Amino acid sequence: MPIRYALLSSVGLVLPLVLASPLMAKSIDVSAGLDQPASPATSPAATPQTGEESQVDEIIVRAQRGPNSVPGDAVPEATLSPVDIAALGASNISEVLAALGPRAGSGRGRGSGPPVILLNGRRISSFRDVQGLASEAIQRVEIFPEATALQYGYSADQRVINFILKDNFRAFTTELAAATAADGDQNRGEIDFGLLKIDPKGRLSINGELSHQNAVTEAERGVIRATTPDATRWRTVLPETSAADIGISYNRNYGKSIGATFDVRFDTTDSESLLGLASGPNDPIRRKVAVDNSRAALTVNGTTEGWQWTVSGSADRTETDTRTTSLLAQAQTAKSTATVLEAIYNTTGPMMDVPAGPVRGSFRIGYQDRQLDSQSVRNGVTALSDLSRGDLTTRGNVSIPITSRRAGFGERFGDISLTANGFYTDLSDYGGLQGGGFGLNWSPISALRLSLAYDASEAAPSIQQLGNPVIVTPASVVFDFKTGQSVLVNRTSGGNANLKAESRGDTTFSVNYSPPQIEGLDLNLSYAVNTSEDTVAAFPILTPALEAAYPSRFSRNSGGTLTAIDQRPINYDSADSTILRYGFSFSKGFGPQIGRGGGTNSGGTAASGRPPVPAPQAPSNPPGTRPNGSQTGPAAGQRPTSAGPQTGAPTGGPAGAGGMRGGPPPGVFFGGGPGGFGGFGGGPGGPGGQAGRWSISVFHTIKLEDSIRLASNLPKLDLLDGAAVDDAGGSRRHSVEFNGGWAYMGVGFRFFGDWRGEGKIIGSTTGVPGATDLYFDDVLTFNLRGFLSFDARPKWVKQAPFLKGSRLVLRVDNLTDSVQEVRDGAGRTPEAYQRALLIGRGRSVELGFRKQF
């Protein structure tokens, strides 16, 4: 049940008793859970007054957060109900995460990767183990700020997203998809299947996927080579690829406090590409790559005396085999086997009570053993690498409330809390690494949250960065800024055993504001300052400044033409960045109200067939609180689910009308009964809401500083003003991410993409004769997703029963076929920056048919 509905129900039960009594209380404390309204009998004794003086000065509503949420006082920045999730048109958890767009990104500035994923408020062993779960099985999605990651044993540089599943669900899902590109005759086919069963005893899921795509050559994409025009038929911009994977996850609950999950997964990928001609027109260079992964994991979660704990163990093995061949040359091979064994214990819970509430702590200890064995054969010479790393890490975090509206201590200042965290890692190959930080969180009113955090840490290069096998790719196209020409070189990649550990320091200030006057609107702002020393990074683009700093990494012939480059990773001396990121997310329902489907007797049309009673009016909100939101309680400041019933509006209609006269029956959109959520199997339906929804998110990132120093004796390079570390145009001062959608009556679409501002790489200022500049135009990428659920068309289903539980899905990537335009100082596009080389696929269209049984 949505938080807002629980609050309204609680107030609605209490107010009639209060107003009917001649003895009025100055303060009435009502405790209400999300699933069951509190009994009026539990209210404190009232203070006698005369009938003429009868009044209610204050009503304090305390709402308990829903089951399977994050424990403690962590407040979600956004919560998605089943109605919101259905409007995304996503097939599984992975697609839901992708549809969240910029809301799932971190504002810490370092870009540390994907968010931390929780399932029912608990740690999972790997996102791969849950990514295929059907979206219809999701009851709620909660998005938490980065600091929440600390209590789960992660560092505070990743946002936390909690997927809460329904208590009962059962479905078998299949999806067939076919895609084609607008240019180059690139086609792709995919088959997905999934079995998911959820009940109070546990969960079983089996997911698999098969896919294949054909190769696309440079000739098919219209690439022109000035020196080797015939070789374009023997060079691919997209390899031929086949992939298959299967995963099984089994969860079992033992009582109400302990559950265990076993996961096993296997996947394989084979690809073949053409790298040009070796010695003649009939001697193409072929590269075949085979990657096989296997994984097994066991995770046990439990709760003991208020402490939530997780014990997990996993084993991963990845085998990679790369083989480069031609008719007249000896085969070049590279093989590697990486294994990871890991065991982690994490616990979080209340440590002690202070006037503002409980002090919460979280502690983690884990051990990881990594092995990387590699072998490469090049020109008859064999190179072996055998690396291992033992990693023992301990991490702790303490959250201390200073003032609290809920506890009634210092409430005039709002909610203030402090956090402190630290870790120590003992690496068998690097020794001890350590780090820590602190945070200050302040919520002066429930709609506004501010936080300040500082973290300092040390980080070692990964074992892959140290020991990946050495691979030489012949005839790689690069742009040589020293001569202003596109050339074909032998490019060396792999690991660098001489990398040093990196030192980092990050300061972040963030603001989250949900205006009480505008339901569904969230405003976010973050300001991050990131510094590092001995920065581990991929080898930068070959500018004259880089060649001067690392002359041994470049080879030129007697005429000065570049012939080879070694692009294995390096350590920068230092890197500094300052980033401002701000944006908004807005979601709103429209159209008639639709209540719960069958199988429930709250909201919508009840199981008895009687129309529901309209929700009573809530009292007016004190200043500084959201409409229909609680002032106090564990969920203080938490945003109610936007899809809940509106105050004073009926949530259903006559029996069988689904809350709208002449509309589809209950359960078509929001679950319940036979057909369940969206008509796709499952148990009790989700909460009611309006028939349609639309949403939009826009985030603008401004890089105020982005610079590196390659070596201590070299000047700092400004990546925002002509210096570069890659061939994509240096760092962009401005970029925008956007995401939005619209859904109504089973039809919907979503759009998402990004815009990157102009960039440039300046080589002429180095004083090297012939050095040139490159200018990169801004580029807008726009993607589209559309869907049609046949269950929302009862007449169609009646005529073709096979369509029951099915959906058409349309996916269009790079809708406008956009590509970045690159020009040199004379206004010409260098050969290495031809359109087809920058976007091998271009616009692509995929049509899928999905059905649940």
Side-chain angles (χ1 to χ4, degrees), residues 694-707:
W694 67 271
S695 64
I696 185 171
S697 296
V698 180
F699 282 79
H700 179 201
T701 299
I702 305 175
K703 291 186 178 180
L704 305 176
E705 179 187 6
D706 196 1
S707 62

Side-chain angles (χ1 to χ4, degrees), residues 259-276:
T261 304
F262 176 72
D263 300 288
V264 61
R265 177 169 292 274
F266 305 93
D267 63 76
T268 181
T269 302
D270 294 295
S271 65
E272 181 176 354
S273 55
L274 299 175
L275 305 179

Side-chain angles (χ1 to χ4, degrees), residues 369-390:
D369 180 79
R370 288 182 175 268
Q371 303 284 336
L372 178 61
D373 300 325
S374 64
Q375 172 183 303
S376 61
V377 178
R378 182 162 53 98
N379 299 326
V381 179
T382 301
L384 300 175
S385 176
D386 184 4
L387 297 179
S388 63
R389 171 181 291 177

